[in-house]
Amino acid sequence: MVDEKVNIQNATEFEPSLLRMLDRGIDDVEAGRTLTHEDAMKEVRRLREKRREERVLKGDVVNA
């Protein structure tokens, strides 16, 4: 049964860059190039700590 009240947008109405990002994301999932949420958060924490340490070495830290 088709709901006549549903408005499906034509793909040309979307920003082309958004569609490319979604396609790349789907490709990554299909190819197994994804991380678990836990692993992703570990990487975020690692990168934040590295950035914090670099700022400390430069003397740019207010709240280390």
Side-chain angles (χ1 to χ4, degrees):
M1 177 178 159
V2 175
D3 187 348
E4 298 297 327
K5 296 177 185 175
V6 175
N7 180 18
I8 300 174
Q9 290 181 309
N10 186 325
T12 59
E13 295 178 34
F14 287 102
E15 180 69 33
S17 62
L18 174 61
L19 294 176
R20 283 193 300 275
M21 286 187 286
L22 290 171
D23 284 339
R24 284 195 306 267
I26 292 168
D27 290 343
D28 287 342
V29 169
E30 290 175 343
R33 294 185 301 259
T34 57
L35 297 173
T36 65
H37 180 264
E38 182 178 337
D39 289 343
M41 293 300 98
K42 284 179 186 176
E43 183 66 5
V44 167
R45 285 189 293 274
R46 184 188 71 77
L47 291 171
R48 289 181 72 197
E49 184 61 30
K50 178 181 175 193
R51 185 173 144 214
R52 187 175 293 121
E53 289 172 2
E54 290 170 353
R55 289 176 30 212
V56 168
L57 290 174
K58 286 176 46 181
D60 293 342
V61 172
V62 175
N63 289 327

